[in-house]
Amino acid sequence: MANAKSKEQVSPIGADLPRNDVYEKVTGTAVYTDDFQFGNKLLFARAKRSPYPHALIKKIDTSKAEKLPGVKVVVTGKDFPNRIGLYLQDKTIFATDRVRFIGEPVAAVAAISDEVAMKACDLIEVEYEELEAVFDAEFGASDKAPLIHPDLENYVCPNFIFPKAKTNIANHFKIRKGNVSAAWEKCAHIVERSFKVPHIQHVPIETHIAVAQMDEKGKVTVWASSQSPFAQRNLIAHALHISQSDLRVIAPLVGGGFGSKAGVTMEAIPVALATKCKGWPVKFILTREEEFYTNFVRQGLTIHVKVGCDKEGNLLALKNMMYWDGGASTEYGTNVTRAGGYSSSGPYDIPNVETDSICVYTNHPIGGAYRGFGMSELHTGLDQAIDELAEKAGIDKVSFLKRNGVTEGDVLVTGLIMHKNGIQECIDNVAKSLKFNEKEKPSSADRLRGKGIAIMWKAPAMPPNPGSSAWVEMAEDGNVTVGLGGQEIGQGTFTVMAQMAAAALGVPYEKVRIAGPVDTQYSPYEWQTVASRLTWSMGNAVVLAAKDARRQILDVVAEAWKENTEDLDIINGVVVSYKSERETSLENIVIYGMPKDNNEGWMGGPIVGRGSFMPKYVTNLDAETGQGPRAVVHYTVGCEGLDIELDKNTGTIYVLKGAASFDVGKAINPTLVKAQVEGGFAQGLSSAMFEEIKLVKGVMTNPSFVDYRIATAPDMDFPLDTPFVEVPQDDGPWGARGVGEHPMVPTIAALGNAIYDATGIRLTNPPYSAEKIYLAMLDKGIVK
Amino acid sequence: MTLKTITLTVNDMVETVDVPQNMTLLQMIREKLSLTGTKNGCSAGECGACTVLMNGEPVNSCMVLAAECEGATIVTVEGLAKGGKLSKLQEAIVKAGGVQCGFCTPGMLISATALLNRNPHPTDTEIRSAIVGNLCRCTGYVRIVDGIKMAAK
Ligand code: FES
Ligand code: FES
């Protein structure tokens, strides 16, 4: 062999390698769920939905719909009574005895065309008896509110969710750390403020879609745009009383998720229909309007914050009262509430903390997972209160954040000890990028200028034991295929997994393929594509699988060459010996094994590596105090800032520059990291300036892109600086941890702080629309 | 429903298709011609995912009736690469990292292609206003705009 060293592979880790799905995506050949062809038997589904926020169902008459020519099947809730839910099992596929929000499905139709299905839905007659409804979480939590789930005490839930029987409180998470009441006396400065964060929608450009088919033996196949094929298999099987192995979920590329395609939302509806017409595939797509008003939302939050510091600006005490508007079902939202509780201090070191994070049933749309999982809402209040406190204490904001930011060894609100992290550098990066402490002039007399900064943290929010698994196998050409169960939802996980497998195995990146689409029938298990957990968790599984394959290969070669595996290496897909300088490429080994000397037979065989990873150290927390050894696996921290101008005549915000810096542990693919940060920042800014589900007595009054505006290209016309920080995660692959959700977490607060800096006005309730800003300026006498 | 037979050119191919009166151009492209690259994000002319070139102009194909496309020349995302070679714009978007979930990408590429055809050297503002009707939830448009700029060089 020439020289193994000279052949040293350029590491795929930390390299800006091109996405492995990009050619398909720019040529229109990438396959999403609606691109599958199902042939002439395909049926189209539509749902009959509740027009009332809260009502008893007295009678459902489907006879007219059933008689309509072209209708194949009509289903109602009576055949599907099983309650399901990711955390709290409080939901049925269709409403059974009562409806709890406008848009809740009460029946569904499968027909030969979409038009017929729609007509049939109109022919379904439902008699309701309206009930008093709950449209406010704080009211809902009071004993004056009518009960939305009178049977709450009978619902099944894990032991870390605390519903309160005979109330609308689906979860009450408490933190009691130190002595808050005593601490107020030691505070030199205290800020107390309330914020109201509205419901918003995820708005993936691809709306929800699922197709289901049951075969003659009763096995079901589902094709779905999904972040959670395995969780869907589990939950839908449970709802239908069939075995998980008899439900197969095939999940192709996803046209945007942001949490909305996690858990089970509408996917069970076509399955229910398919069970009544064996052999026929049933397709159900949400219209854009349905996507807005019937799907999981980011639940609204009312947060009362009280926070204090001493003369020097050291935070001493925090009291948080949070009411989450959980909506008609809190099966997923109860855990958002929990996350809001155990992370309620934000990335600040505060010795005394008291938090009540309360998830309340209301007659609003169902709250689910949303990029950030409670953290954007929490930080919107907390980071603005802290901004105000810094000013009161007369300390510049950057120094205040740096003084109080969490550092390694700090005892967090739950008792968890903080790991090392780069929050100081993140703050420095943003401050430097925006010249934060320089007061700069506006570009004209009609404008005001301001800068805002906010820090954040977020831990993956999940059960204590969500697993990942992976396999690695190889073909005759030496190419590698990685099997995995996490989803490519745009974040680039298939690319990052290929990079990790290539590095761990010793082959070039180009030689690694991902086995897609994910299919629960043959893909290895993955809990869900949520919580920014894949790079870390699935990454660990993929690395283990690749290392396992590598060990198998080296064992065979060592035996064949009569050498020690320690002297062998795989470089660029070639097995080399540093000792004997022999080499052989993987093609020669990975399928057929290697011949023994002297025609004595063979050794080895097809290589299959396996890897499995599950965090084993997360513990439950005390129900009364929220204390416990290890609440979460880790935190990702970061900082964002904005330099803005405001038009005095209109209230319009002009962003001059944005900066965002997150500690990603290790950027496996720096371009993908930056792309995540940019997209998250834009989504955060969009939510800060424009987005709100306008609910009037339970009706969403703006369910279209015209009335629910999201950021467009002209809205993002400013430089955005995204330097990242790399303080390694001790159990992350190459030190990596996730950053998918984090970039939209501190944006509302950063904008609110910038508006304050420009105007002296503290706006509490986002979105901070031009109108709201203008009216506030008028009020304050800044404009006449 | 009565069918109308229309003849039109799609990605340089002459196609004759029977279409119901109420079928949109988007449905025809996806369902009759199996060109599934063009996406549906709203069916209401509000998201741009369904953008195609019709006689050189970008249109929301969900808002055009197929029956009215007699004689039209249509280009969809599948028509941008020629002989397996990506267009300069496609190359640039790939290089700039302007693709995430990819669902807006086909419409975005078509709008940008139309822009570069009529204005080979657009300013930043011209680029952003050319794609104002193409919603993207993933990228913040940062690398999409970078890619279009790169292609314009
Ligand atoms: S699908 Fe045509 S504009 Fe949205
Ligand atoms: S890349 Fe996902 S919507 Fe644009």
Side-chain angles (χ1 to χ4, degrees), chain A residues 307-325:
Chain A
V307 59
C309 65
D310 65 16
K311 270 205 322 297
E312 287 74 41
N314 300 305
L315 289 172
L316 291 184
L318 169 70
K319 189 170 157 57
N320 259 324
M321 192 75 200
M322 291 183 252
Y323 291 95
W324 302 87
D325 184 334

Side-chain angles (χ1 to χ4, degrees), chain B residues 26 39-50 60-63:
Chain B
L26 174 61
K39 299 302 180 207
N40 182 355
C42 71
S43 304
E46 292 163 7
C47 76
C50 65
N60 288 328
S61 62
C62 69
M63 299 304 283

Side-chain angles (χ1 to χ4, degrees), chain A residues 294-592:
Chain A
T294 72
N295 195 51
F296 278 12
V297 297
R298 186 170 94 183
Q299 49 198 6
L301 172 67
T302 303
I303 175 170
H304 307 291
V305 191
K306 182 176 176 187
V307 59
C309 65
D310 65 16
K311 270 205 322 297
E312 287 74 41
N314 300 305
L315 289 172
L316 291 184
L318 169 70
K319 189 170 157 57
N320 259 324
M321 192 75 200
M322 291 183 252
Y323 291 95
W324 302 87
D325 184 334
S329 152
T330 63
E331 54 123 334
Y332 212 140
T334 43
N335 201 40
V336 176
T337 302
R338 185 170 185 270
Y342 63 61
S343 293
S344 57
S345 67
Y348 303 98
D349 177 29
I350 314 178
N352 304 289
V353 180
E354 187 178 316
T355 297
D356 289 275
S357 184
I358 301 174
C359 185
V360 187
Y361 284 120
T362 64
N363 295 110
H364 280 153
I366 299 173
Y370 191 114
R371 191 178 201 174
F373 213 73
M375 293 303 103
S376 310
E377 303 91 300
L378 163 72
H379 282 83
T380 294
L382 183 59
D383 286 341
Q384 292 198 71
I386 298 265
D387 192 72
E388 207 171 327
L389 188 63
E391 174 156 311
K392 260 196 169 173
I395 297 172
D396 78 85
K397 289 167 186 174
V398 172
S399 312
F400 195 86
L401 296 181
K402 291 190 72 173
R403 170 183 288 264
N404 290 294
V406 275
T407 48
E408 186 179 7
D410 285 350
V411 181
L412 303 178
V413 274
T414 55
L416 173 68
I417 307 297
M418 186 62 188
H419 52 83
K420 61 182 186 314
N421 73 85
I423 200 155
Q424 299 289 331
E425 291 143 277
C426 293
I427 298 169
D428 284 338
N429 283 341
V430 169
K432 187 164 158 232
S433 173
L434 298 182
K435 298 195 206 127
F436 199 83
N437 285 337
E438 270 175 47
K439 193 82 190 154
E440 292 181 84
K441 285 204 174 58
S443 58
S444 85
D446 284 342
R447 292 190 178 186
L448 298 168
R449 183 153 179 190
K451 295 179 187 178
I453 188 167
I455 57 177
M456 66 75 64
W457 73 355
K458 185 188 177 297
M462 48 198 192
N465 54 346
S468 291
S469 53
W471 49 252
V472 164
E473 60 176 34
M474 305 175 87
E476 292 87 339
D477 55 11
N479 282 341
V480 178
T481 300
V482 179
L484 42 69
Q487 276 291 78
E488 179 53 68
I489 61 173
Q491 80 283 49
T493 199
F494 283 3
T495 303
V496 165
M497 292 305 133
Q499 288 179 255
M500 289 187 187
L505 203 49
V507 302
Y509 167 71
E510 296 71 28
K511 293 205 122 197
V512 182
R513 324 275 156 109
I514 301 298
V518 169
D519 180 335
T520 59
Q521 184 162 283
Y522 66 78
S523 301
Y525 179 85
E526 184 66 51
W527 178 60
Q528 295 195 96
T529 298
V530 297
S532 310
R533 59 184 280 280
L534 290 192
T535 301
W536 165 76
S537 182
M538 186 164 78
N540 276 330
V542 166
V543 169
L544 287 169
K547 285 190 173 157
D548 186 31
R550 177 188 163 87
R551 185 192 48 76
Q552 294 172 32
I553 294 164
L554 295 186
D555 282 351
V556 177
V557 178
E559 197 185 336
W561 292 350
K562 301 192 171 47
E563 294 197 39
N564 294 323
T565 49
E566 299 79 66
D567 296 323
L568 303 179
D569 201 352
I570 306 177
I571 299 171
N572 277 323
V574 177
V575 184
V576 298
S577 164
Y578 292 113
K579 201 166 149 211
S580 64
E581 304 215 330
R582 287 174 78 173
E583 62 174 60
T584 181
S585 80
L586 290 178
E587 287 97 304
N588 303 334
I589 309 160
V590 293
I591 299 289
Y592 303 114

Side-chain angles (χ1 to χ4, degrees), chain A residues 610-754:
Chain A
R610 60 166 283 279
S612 154
F613 175 80
M614 187 179 86
K616 299 187 175 73
Y617 42 68
V618 173
T619 58
N620 272 354
L621 305 174
D622 183 84
E624 290 309 314
T625 63
Q627 301 301 298
R630 185 131 184 202
V632 298
V633 291
H634 57 254
Y635 281 97
T636 297
V637 299
C639 179
E640 284 183 357
L642 283 155
D643 180 0
I644 64 164
E645 285 189 341
L646 289 176
D647 188 324
K648 286 202 239 173
N649 302 313
T650 60
T652 306
I653 296 169
Y654 297 92
V655 178
L656 303 179
K657 189 173 182 187
S661 185
F662 292 85
D663 176 8
V664 300
K666 170 74 189 173
I668 305 296
N669 185 317
T671 295
L672 288 180
V673 166
K674 285 177 166 280
Q676 274 305 289
V677 175
E678 291 155 2
F681 191 95
Q683 196 172 359
L685 191 60
S686 185
S687 71
M689 301 202 298
F690 311 125
E691 295 184 37
E692 171 176 24
I693 293 180
K694 292 192 176 131
L695 288 162
V696 180
K697 294 206 179 312
V699 181
M700 180 181 183
T701 60
N702 58 335
S704 75
F705 279 129
V706 174
D707 298 316
Y708 185 107
R709 173 154 150 43
I710 65 167
T712 61
D715 297 319
M716 289 299 296
D717 194 1
F718 56 85
L720 177 56
D721 204 10
T722 57
F724 52 78
V725 172
E726 294 178 308
V727 175
Q729 176 63 34
D730 57 9
D731 65 350
W734 290 273
R737 63 174 86 77
V739 72
E741 300 165 275
H742 311 74
M744 85 172 282
V745 169
T747 328
I748 299 178
L751 181 67
N753 293 343

Side-chain angles (χ1 to χ4, degrees), chain A residues 19 21-23 25-28 30 32 34-35 37 201-203 205-207 254-256 258 288 370 489-490 671 674-676 678-679 682-683 686 691 704-706 710-714 716-717, chain B residues 22 30 34 36-37 39-42 46-47 49 77-78 81 84 86 90 93-94 96-97 99-106 109 124-125 128-129 131-132 135-143 145:
Chain A
R19 296 178 67 106
D21 57 358
V22 76
Y23 182 86
K25 284 178 173 175
V26 296
T27 52
Y32 300 82
D34 199 27
D35 301 336
Q37 308 283 325
Q201 198 41 282
H202 307 75
V203 202
I205 305 302
E206 177 198 38
T207 62
V254 177
F258 315 106
R288 179 54 64 182
Y370 191 114
I489 61 173
T671 295
K674 285 177 166 280
Q676 274 305 289
E678 291 155 2
Q683 196 172 359
S686 185
E691 295 184 37
S704 75
F705 279 129
V706 174
I710 65 167
T712 61
M716 289 299 296
D717 194 1
Chain B
N22 65 349
R30 289 184 55 87
S34 298
T36 54
K39 299 302 180 207
N40 182 355
C42 71
E46 292 163 7
C47 76
V77 65
E78 289 93 340
L86 297 183
Q90 286 170 311
I93 293 280
V94 169
V99 176
Q100 287 189 32
C101 83
F103 210 75
C104 71
T105 308
L109 286 168
D124 222 272
T125 313
R128 287 178 188 273
S129 65
I131 58 169
V132 66
L135 298 178
C136 174
R137 191 57 150 173
C138 301
T139 64
Y141 309 95
V142 176
R143 286 162 200 275
V145 172

